[in-house]
Amino acid sequence: DAGITQSPRHKVTETGTPVTLRCHQTENHRYMYWYRQDPGHGLRLIHYSYGVKDTDKGEVSDGYSVSRSKTEDFLLTLESATSSQTSVYFCAISRQGQETQYFGPGTRLLVL
Amino acid sequence: GIQVEQSPPDLILQEGANSTLRCNFSDSVNNLQWFHQNPWGQLINLFYIPSGTKQNGRLSATTVATERYSLLYISSSQTTDSGVYFCAVGGTGTASKLTFGTGTRLQVTL
């Protein structure tokens, strides 16, 4: 258990509304990641962070922004949610000097 | 970008049977991980194995980096092994960005 929590765990929202998902870790790991999981695609990297205020884009970053103002929190924001962003969102961490990734429990988002 | 293919896509086994899952990737990697997603959605890291062989109980994995494939072996399968197995590859450096395959869905029956 890498001490990762995600909130909310489930959310239903309407097209055009802003949504923020939170990933919180308790062990001060440097690296954090946001993935989305969709049928037929496995998991795809959205954004990642390599330290406070240090973030970069992943494979499917369009329509998403992130922020990391504290080591323990990595926020994913959908500025104006669309139905194509209906998905399960996973946060992950990796430890300094290690490549192994550990995942949070996921957030199921439905955009109507 | 790098392509990751997993086979078979679906597998049904009786309890006690053995199985081999395969992961092929299209380019050189120095980071390869296997994950199990249980029926409740939780993703568990099984192995970090960019090359060589590792074993953990009834599970073992082998990666032949020069031939761009990895194998996950499950012996004496149990119903708790059911779920989806993902292979993910990437590089090393400032962050271990991973590209996932689409998974092998395993169902173990009594």
Side-chain angles (χ1 to χ4, degrees), chain A residues 31 33 37 48 99-101, chain B residues 33 37 45 94 96-97 102:
Chain A
Y31 302 111
Y33 312 82
Q37 183 177 25
Y48 63 98
E99 305 301 329
T100 303
Q101 290 193 15
Chain B
Q33 303 184 36
Q37 187 170 37
N45 192 292
T94 55
S96 55
K97 296 173 286 182
T102 54

Side-chain angles (χ1 to χ4, degrees), chain B residues 41-61:
Chain B
Q42 182 65 40
L43 282 155
I44 305 298
N45 192 292
L46 299 175
F47 294 103
Y48 167 69
I49 186 165
S51 63
T53 297
K54 289 186 177 179
Q55 182 158 6
N56 185 0
R58 295 180 297 101
L59 302 182
S60 64

Side-chain angles (χ1 to χ4, degrees), chain A residues 13-34:
Chain A
T13 192
E14 294 188 348
T15 297
T17 60
V19 176
T20 295
L21 308 183
R22 179 184 185 231
C23 178
H24 179 78
Q25 54 136 333
T26 60
E27 299 182 2
N28 292 320
H29 299 301
R30 180 179 177 184
Y31 302 111
M32 300 184 75
Y33 312 82
W34 277 108

Side-chain angles (χ1 to χ4, degrees), chain A residues 14-20 61-67 76-82 85:
Chain A
E14 294 188 348
T15 297
T17 60
V19 176
T20 295
S61 59
D62 287 349
Y64 301 95
S65 62
V66 291
S67 65
L76 177 71
T77 297
L78 292 65
E79 300 290 348
S80 178
T82 68
Q85 294 176 310

Side-chain angles (χ1 to χ4, degrees), chain A residues 34-103:
Chain A
W34 277 108
Y35 292 88
R36 60 178 288 174
Q37 183 177 25
D38 305 289
H41 288 279
L43 282 85
R44 292 178 291 175
L45 182 65
I46 306 171
H47 281 279
Y48 63 98
S49 170
Y50 44 96
V52 173
K53 298 186 180 180
D54 290 325
T55 65
D56 206 346
K57 297 179 179 180
E59 177 187 358
V60 291
S61 59
D62 287 349
Y64 301 95
S65 62
V66 291
S67 65
R68 192 168 178 201
S69 58
K70 299 184 292 183
T71 299
E72 59 266 34
D73 288 327
F74 192 31
L75 304 181
L76 177 71
T77 297
L78 292 65
E79 300 290 348
S80 178
T82 68
S83 58
S84 64
Q85 294 176 310
T86 291
S87 188
V88 181
Y89 291 86
F90 286 96
C91 172
I93 64 95
S94 61
R95 300 178 168 121
Q96 179 81 36
Q98 298 182 21
E99 305 301 329
T100 303
Q101 290 193 15
Y102 300 91
F103 281 79

